[in-house]
Amino acid sequence: EDTWNYNQDNLPVNHSMRSIIEASKFIDLEERDNLAILYHMGPYSNLDEKKRGRAIELYPDVKLLHLADLTATTKEDIEEIS
């Protein structure tokens, strides 16, 4: 059985910020990329909804990444149940 342990050496940030930090090590992220990654959980995160709405106004990609993530997750869940 696999077990998961918390890595105490990691910075204490949420997974969106961790993704931005890790991706930035390999590619140059633009403002739109950072916002899309930050808000990819859509309304299912604890981030400010007004700010997320503003990010979507600035860059529609923010909503598109959330929808892609949601669709991919839903598809995996459906395939696992089948």
Side-chain angles (χ1 to χ4, degrees), residues 38-55:
L38 180 64
Y39 293 111
H40 80 277
M41 297 286 293
Y44 306 109
S45 72
N46 60 352
L47 299 173
D48 186 300
E49 280 297 306
K50 286 184 181 181
K51 290 179 183 175
R52 185 175 70 85
R54 178 68 179 132

Side-chain angles (χ1 to χ4, degrees), residues 70-82:
L70 184 64
T71 301
T73 303
T74 303
K75 184 177 184 327
E76 278 183 15
D77 291 345
I78 291 170
E79 287 178 355
E80 286 180 14
I81 293 170
S82 304

Side-chain angles (χ1 to χ4, degrees), residues 35 39 51-63:
L35 291 174
Y39 293 111
K51 290 179 183 175
R52 185 175 70 85
R54 178 68 179 132
I56 291 169
E57 286 176 15
L58 291 170
Y59 304 111
D61 313 28
V62 171
K63 188 171 189 176

